[in-house]
Amino acid sequence: QKEVEQNSGPLSVPEGAIASLNCTYSDRGSQSFFWYRQYSGKSPELIMSIYSNGDKEDGRFTAQLNKASQYVSLLIRDSQPSDSATYLCAVKPGGGADGLTFGKGTHLIIQP
Amino acid sequence: GAVVSQHPSWVICKSGTSVKIECRSLDFQATTMFWYRQFPKQSLMLMATSNEGSKATYEQGVEKDKFLINHASLTLSTLTVTSAHPEDSSFYICSASAGGYEQYFGPGTRLTVT
């Protein structure tokens, strides 16, 4: 059974610091990896996608992928109180016809 | 771009009745649509995948006769919860793909069965 594991938290980070979120997955054949942000009562919002090993940066966000270790991470620089949310790691085996397998999410709290 | 809508945003129904939820891609053609369910403090779980004009593919443990999915066009998929029971109360979220790797999520529908 395909699994995506995340530390549920809460992870508390001071405003302005770097928040580091981690995720491991069990399906070695997975090809696509995503980080979503979900505010309470709302649907997920795509933050980052990554498909190859290494780092991918977009503004304050950096996604890191290590397929050999089956590990994905998300770094949030200069954390803001508005970044407080649950961050979901999602994995997809391949192309557009495949659904996503989500982790349970990490609850991030940015302390002003 | 890549906007997905859902209707209704919330619904309350009585046990034993059926409820239909619509998912629309507003500015792109969705070759594939997905339906997820999220219980409180749980993550999203994929229920089914549907392609336009084809029968939906259901995940293991999801009753296809209870959760009827119709992907009538490249911009519309519907989920009908038949004979709803209180344990079906959940947050139902659809997503749509134009064939690429990314999925675009709708705002979700909160179903409460009394």
Side-chain angles (χ1 to χ4, degrees):
Chain A
Q1 183 168 347
K2 300 171 188 175
E3 293 182 348
V4 178
E5 299 287 342
Q6 293 181 258
N7 188 322
S8 61
L11 173 65
S12 186
V13 174
E15 183 177 357
I18 296 175
S20 177
L21 305 165
N22 304 313
C23 168
T24 59
Y25 59 95
S26 64
D27 183 4
R28 186 171 287 278
S30 299
Q31 297 293 318
S32 311
F33 308 86
F34 306 88
W35 283 99
Y36 286 86
R37 177 173 63 196
Q38 186 176 29
Y39 294 111
S40 181
K42 302 295 185 182
S43 72
E45 172 192 7
L46 180 65
I47 299 296
M48 292 284 288
S49 59
I50 187 166
Y51 308 109
S52 55
N53 282 328
D55 296 358
K56 178 181 178 182
E57 186 174 318
D58 183 0
R60 296 187 297 113
F61 300 96
T62 299
Q64 300 173 317
L65 173 61
N66 184 325
K67 288 186 178 180
S69 300
Q70 295 174 239
Y71 175 89
V72 193
S73 67
L74 178 71
L75 300 177
I76 307 175
R77 290 180 298 281
D78 189 23
S79 297
Q80 302 297 311
S82 59
D83 294 328
S84 298
T86 296
Y87 287 80
L88 303 171
C89 174
V91 174
K92 185 159 70 167
D98 296 320
L100 296 172
T101 301
F102 282 87
K104 290 187 176 181
T106 298
H107 184 203
L108 175 65
I109 299 172
I110 306 300
Q111 296 178 323
Chain B
V3 179
V4 177
S5 69
Q6 275 185 249
H7 178 79
S9 56
W10 59 271
V11 57
I12 302 173
C13 71
K14 292 188 175 181
S15 186
T17 62
S18 296
V19 174
K20 179 185 284 188
I21 302 169
E22 291 188 349
C23 176
R24 294 182 184 272
S25 56
L26 299 184
D27 53 2
F28 67 101
Q29 292 189 325
T31 52
T32 307
M33 286 185 167
F34 305 88
W35 287 94
Y36 296 83
R37 178 169 56 180
Q38 186 176 36
F39 292 108
K41 300 196 183 300
Q42 299 291 317
S43 192
L44 281 76
M45 295 295 292
L46 179 66
M47 299 177 65
T49 301
S50 72
N51 294 289
E52 185 262 341
S54 303
K55 288 185 177 181
T57 301
Y58 291 81
E59 295 298 300
Q60 191 173 9
V62 178
E63 301 174 57
K64 62 180 181 181
D65 294 330
K66 180 172 184 62
F67 299 99
L68 303 180
I69 293 171
N70 183 18
H71 194 157
S73 73
L74 284 172
T75 60
L76 174 64
S77 176
T78 60
L79 168 67
T80 301
V81 183
T82 63
S83 186
H85 289 97
E87 57 265 31
D88 298 323
S89 298
S90 189
F91 192 37
Y92 291 85
I93 311 172
C94 73
S95 71
S97 169
Y101 290 106
E102 296 184 357
Q103 295 180 20
Y104 304 97
F105 282 82
T109 296
R110 191 162 301 282
L111 169 64
T112 301
V113 184
T114 61

